Amino acid sequence: MERALERVCACTDTHAAVAACDPLQARAIVRQLPILNRKKDVPGIVGLLRDILPAHGVPSRWGFVEAAAAMRDIGFFLGSLKRHGREPVDAVAGLEPTLLDLARVTDLPPRETLLHVTVWNPAAADAQRTYTGLSDEAHLLESVRISMAALEAAIALTVELSDVPLRSPAFAQGCDELAARLQKMVESIVYAYRYISVQVFYDELRPYYEPIRVGGRSYLGPGAVEMPLFVLEHVLWGSQSDHPGYREFKETYVPYVLPAFRAVYARFAGRQALVDRALAEAQAFGARDEAVGAGLAALDRVFEVLLRFRAPHVKLAERAYEAGRSGPAVGSGGYAPGMLGDLLALTRAAQSRLRTALSER
């Protein structure tokens, strides 16, 4: 599993480099946004954004790190303007070509994403960019940081496990390592329960995550749904799922994850998922094979951890939208919260097939 660790180290280094980068010299300027947002000072927001926009053509000469950091800082203005009822590219001349240039350099959407506002955002209190300055927002960003590196490692592990025979000791070992990585997702949801008010999220934070239009297309705002957990589950159990809502869900959010994870998604699209391959091998080797039993049991432990994240996540989303029942019926990343219930049911169904095979031993 050494290759998986090498990949995640590379990702972690990139995240740190972007967080430390300030190509627009915008740190102090962006940190004025919470005050302007509280005042609903749209002219003030527009003026500051104009001050930090790079000169025409400059973004095309940047590398990934500089372009991602610039999009981060511009992005907080995008969400702020939309929160106050303005389409950013209509409000600020010259903004749209800059966003499109940054998108080309990073191969990401032409606005801020979950990556920009969390792992590419300095965590230090005197440098962190926010829309509101509220402690709940700082905790929301931290809840993502808690698990992102572990999740990226978990995706790499899942890809590697897809080629490891079920009966190999390396399969059970890899599953246990995968479960340990995914435990960080559980920790992140526990943290969110503890430190983020659902009422504050719905009333004060969610309005900054609305879609905006760039280049004639609509782009979703940052949301936890953009975490690449769905890429991991695609490889683990969902690559051949015929659930239309689930397929649409995945295809909606693939453009918002890193290009490397989009490549993983494409590689496994329509291919036999890891759990299906494991069940086929179990059937071929027979019920009494001890190595088969060990592999299936280890895979079941992965599902147990996934469900310890999925079930509380559904409840947290339900609480948030119960708190704001008179408002929008879609989540902060543009999805209907009911989709989380479908994901939970699909994950349980995959585990049920696995447990049926275990019970037949």
Side-chain angles (χ1 to χ4, degrees):
M1 303 299 168
E2 290 82 2
R3 287 177 297 168
L5 295 178
E6 289 172 5
R7 291 191 193 102
V8 78
C9 285
C11 267
T12 301
D13 289 347
T14 298
H15 296 333
V18 176
C21 188
D22 187 7
L24 303 177
Q25 299 297 296
R27 169 178 162 177
I29 295 173
V30 182
R31 286 176 56 78
Q32 297 177 47
L33 263 180
I35 294 172
L36 296 176
N37 280 324
R38 283 196 291 276
K39 295 178 178 178
K40 301 180 181 179
D41 184 355
V42 172
I45 295 169
V46 169
L48 288 184
L49 178 52
R50 285 178 178 149
D51 287 345
I52 67 170
L53 282 183
H56 177 70
V58 169
S60 297
R61 300 196 293 270
W62 280 336
F64 179 92
V65 169
E66 292 83 3
M71 183 68 86
R72 172 199 64 215
D73 289 342
I74 292 170
F76 280 95
F77 289 90
L78 306 181
S80 297
L81 287 170
K82 190 59 186 279
R83 192 262 181 273
H84 300 302
R86 301 293 302 276
E87 278 293 344
V89 299
D90 295 336
V92 182
L95 174 60
E96 187 168 65
T98 296
L99 296 177
L100 293 172
D101 282 347
L102 293 172
R104 277 191 287 271
V105 174
T106 59
D107 194 13
L108 287 166
R111 72 162 302 172
E112 83 278 31
T113 69
L114 183 70
L115 288 164
H116 295 89
V117 302
T118 59
V119 295
W120 292 345
N121 188 1
D126 63 347
Q128 180 165 257
R129 284 75 158 160
T130 68
Y131 303 99
T132 69
L134 295 171
S135 61
D136 294 78
E137 182 178 3
H139 289 311
L140 184 64
L141 305 187
E142 184 61 22
S143 71
V144 174
R145 294 189 187 107
I146 284 170
S147 56
M148 185 66 86
L151 175 57
E152 290 172 342
I155 293 170
L157 282 167
T158 307
V159 169
E160 292 189 11
L161 278 169
S162 69
D163 291 324
V164 178
L166 174 66
R167 298 176 72 252
S168 168
F171 185 87
Q173 178 186 348
C175 283
D176 287 339
E177 186 175 347
L178 176 55
R181 298 278 181 177
L182 289 173
Q183 182 61 31
K184 283 291 184 181
M185 295 294 296
V186 180
E187 292 177 21
S188 73
I189 204 70
V190 170
Y191 183 95
Y193 263 98
R194 182 173 299 167
Y195 294 112
I196 303 166
S197 159
V198 293
Q199 195 72 57
V200 170
F201 170 79
Y202 196 90
D203 293 340
E204 303 294 338
L205 302 180
R206 189 200 173 285
Y208 291 93
Y209 310 141
E210 290 292 327
I212 66 169
R213 295 193 67 79
V214 182
R217 292 180 54 190
S218 180
Y219 292 91
L220 297 168
V225 73
E226 293 174 11
M227 290 194 77
L229 179 61
F230 73 91
V231 177
L232 183 149
E233 292 178 317
H234 175 73
V235 178
L236 180 65
W237 58 259
S239 55
Q240 292 182 316
S241 172
D242 59 1
H243 187 290
Y246 173 58
R247 289 204 308 272
E248 181 181 357
F249 171 84
K250 293 188 292 183
E251 290 164 7
T252 296
Y253 295 105
V254 162
Y256 295 84
V257 301
L258 286 170
F261 297 132
R262 298 205 298 269
V264 169
Y265 180 86
R267 173 182 165 189
F268 285 87
R271 175 176 162 179
Q272 190 178 47
L274 192 157
V275 70
D276 295 316
R277 189 265 296 174
L279 290 172
E281 288 187 25
Q283 186 173 21
F285 282 105
R288 296 186 178 182
D289 190 298
E290 289 186 7
V292 164
L296 292 178
L299 189 54
D300 182 64
R301 291 193 287 273
V302 172
F303 277 90
E304 275 297 291
V305 178
L306 268 178
L307 289 168
R308 287 204 297 273
F309 166 77
R310 280 267 172 236
H313 190 203
V314 170
K315 290 180 181 177
L316 189 60
E318 289 172 348
R319 284 177 56 200
Y321 291 93
E322 180 68 19
R325 67 173 69 180
S326 62
V330 295
S332 57
Y335 63 96
M339 187 62 227
L340 293 180
D342 291 345
L343 283 169
L344 176 60
L346 289 166
T347 308
R348 284 174 170 161
Q351 185 189 41
S352 178
R353 291 189 293 119
L354 186 59
R355 289 194 163 177
T356 296
L358 278 166
S359 70
E360 291 172 352
R361 291 186 44 74

